[in-house]
Amino acid sequence: MADHYEVLGVSRDATPDEIKKAYRRLARELHPDVNPGAEASERFKSVTHAYDVLSDAKQRQQYDLGDQGGFGGGAQGFGGFGDIFETFFGGAQQTRGPRSRRERGQDALIRVEVGLDEVIFGTHRDIEVDTAVVCQTCNGSCCQPGTSPVTCDICGGSGSIQRAVRSLLGNVMTSSPCGTCRGYGTVIATPCVTCQGQGRVRARRTVPVDIPAGVDTGVRLQMPGSGESGPAGGPNGDLYLEIKVKNHDVFSRNGDDLLATLAVSMTDAILGTTAKIEALDGDVEVEIKPGLQSGEILTVKDRGVSKLRGSGRGDLRVGVQVVTPTKLSTKERDLVQQFAASKKAPAPELSHFQQGLFARLRDKFLG
Ligand code: ZN
């Protein structure tokens, strides 16, 4: 076992005051609350034991005579220096005031489904929300009207109970929340009947919401103060709306662009025409130039989704699929054969898949 004087870093003829000062300095450095390491904890024990022995005149005398005294033997060394504890940890031991019944309410999250057509320009919804609201009977006071909370008899209104606990450092005052008032310092003798003394009740209410244009699945809209009311008239939490955009049968979305496929008959693709397409926000005419190919993309500027941030809209982009006619009449078949005879068609030709139609479509749409 290390020498107690060495442990405390004092000379063998140190005065009781020097020993006390050395101990205070080391305990400040090594106390587990300050220095949670295992090594510090071991040193703290040694330092404390050394101080136990050397601060007691009789034990110090025995130690000096060669008897190291019983380590951990008996409690006589453990009492009597609560003052040291206070020196170090007075701040932590300060009793706090009673806690407030008023607390901020919880945030609420509601999922809202909107159609792709509603997203283009934004939309309005009246959302039904089931949350806690302030009790109208007591206005959040928790007490029957005309009554008020009374000071707790047990803790005298402090909200906490002080208790002396024996520890390695001597008698230590600890404080714990008062069990009678649960730390509030007051007791509600006549709770409001409507809310059972909670100051709030559950209720369904309607929250009008403007859903901005351009929202997408996963976007969360925050509505400050529209969440749950807090206990005892505490402030409201926030309401969050999590958006889910429903899938559409025809249109899909890539950022602010709307995408669709346009089937064009073979003859229209050859000769060209003007096609009318039903966009989500009304009809649009697109020009089909003679010789249109499958896989080409026709872009209609500014007919996509309004941008969530910034101004303007994305584009409407339709990928062309040229449709080969089936089930020809005899006359139609003759006409096609005449056409084939008049124009020598090139033989079918392979090209790299990655540069072919499917890859081009993907790149054009998403690139
Ligand atoms: Zn009430």
Side-chain angles (χ1 to χ4, degrees), residues 135-143 192-201:
C135 172
Q136 293 301 303
T137 307
C138 65
N139 254 322
S141 77
C142 309
C143 304
C192 169
V193 175
T194 309
C195 63
Q196 274 96 44
Q198 299 302 304
R200 55 181 186 165
V201 291

Side-chain angles (χ1 to χ4, degrees), residues 18-354:
E18 287 170 338
I19 288 169
K20 190 170 172 175
K21 274 183 184 156
Y23 175 67
R24 285 188 177 193
R25 185 176 49 76
L26 287 165
R28 261 194 209 102
E29 180 192 328
L30 299 170
H31 190 276
D33 285 357
V34 181
N35 197 335
E39 197 194 324
S41 164
E42 280 311 303
R43 278 192 66 202
F44 182 68
K45 280 184 200 159
S46 307
V47 163
T48 304
H49 177 61
Y51 180 69
D52 282 348
V53 173
L54 299 186
S55 63
D56 182 271
K58 199 172 150 215
Q59 285 192 62
R60 183 179 179 184
Q61 195 181 22
Q62 281 179 346
Y63 181 74
D64 289 343
L65 291 170
D67 176 2
Q68 300 202 331
F71 186 40
Q76 75 267 31
F78 285 17
F81 43 102
D83 60 327
I84 292 174
F85 196 98
E86 273 172 28
T87 307
F88 304 150
F89 309 110
Q93 286 296 299
Q94 266 172 9
T95 53
R96 286 170 298 165
R99 67 190 181 111
S100 171
R101 281 192 173 80
R102 270 173 63 94
E103 282 172 39
R104 181 181 182 273
Q106 293 214 312
D107 295 338
L109 176 70
I110 303 264
R111 293 194 168 81
V112 184
E113 273 206 337
V114 292
L116 195 51
D117 53 329
E118 295 178 289
V119 167
I120 294 179
F121 299 115
T123 187
H124 181 88
R125 284 289 168 83
D126 288 322
I127 309 249
E128 301 263 278
V129 188
D130 235 339
T131 56
V133 298
V134 175
C135 172
Q136 293 301 303
T137 307
C138 65
N139 254 322
S141 77
C142 309
C143 304
Q144 271 293 81
T147 69
S148 347
V150 293
T151 302
C152 176
D153 287 341
I154 305 301
C155 65
S158 70
S160 56
I161 303 287
Q162 315 294 322
R163 203 176 277 115
V165 175
R166 290 171 70 85
S167 83
L168 204 60
L169 282 175
N171 285 338
V172 172
M173 293 304 283
T174 66
S175 89
S176 51
C178 172
T180 304
C181 64
R182 301 200 345 249
Y184 295 125
T186 57
V187 174
I188 293 175
T190 46
C192 169
V193 175
T194 309
C195 63
Q196 274 96 44
Q198 299 302 304
R200 55 181 186 165
V201 291
R202 288 206 85 78
R204 173 160 295 193
R205 66 207 157 91
T206 303
V207 181
V209 181
D210 285 316
I211 296 170
V215 291
D216 207 344
T217 296
V219 166
R220 280 190 181 184
L221 306 173
Q222 183 185 17
M223 304 185 65
S226 291
E228 292 214 325
S229 293
N236 289 359
D238 299 338
L239 175 65
Y240 287 88
L241 299 179
E242 190 175 286
I243 300 293
K244 172 157 178 15
V245 179
K246 281 184 272 193
N247 287 334
H248 193 273
D249 288 342
V250 173
F251 295 94
S252 59
R253 184 171 170 184
N254 179 44
D256 299 318
D257 292 341
L258 288 173
L259 312 179
T261 302
L262 182 66
V264 178
S265 74
M266 192 186 73
T267 48
D268 280 347
I270 293 169
L271 301 171
T273 184
T274 301
K276 192 175 83 175
I277 56 180
E278 287 175 51
L280 285 170
D281 59 333
D283 292 347
V284 182
E285 289 194 338
V286 290
E287 194 197 348
I288 291 174
K289 292 195 172 112
L292 183 74
Q293 302 290 338
S294 265
E296 283 191 26
I297 307 284
L298 305 176
T299 298
V300 185
K301 282 277 177 204
D302 304 326
R303 290 300 289 265
V305 176
S306 300
K307 293 182 167 126
L308 182 60
R309 290 178 188 82
S311 59
R313 293 173 66 179
D315 300 332
L316 171 62
R317 312 187 77 202
V318 292
V320 170
Q321 181 193 4
V322 175
V323 180
T324 309
T326 55
K327 288 179 188 159
L328 296 181
S329 67
T330 313
K331 191 185 168 199
E332 288 163 343
R333 196 176 166 77
D334 285 346
L335 287 168
V336 174
Q337 276 172 341
Q338 281 178 41
F339 173 71
S342 75
K343 188 176 171 72
K344 177 100 178 93
E349 193 186 342
L350 275 176
S351 67
H352 194 285
F353 188 82
Q354 294 293 335

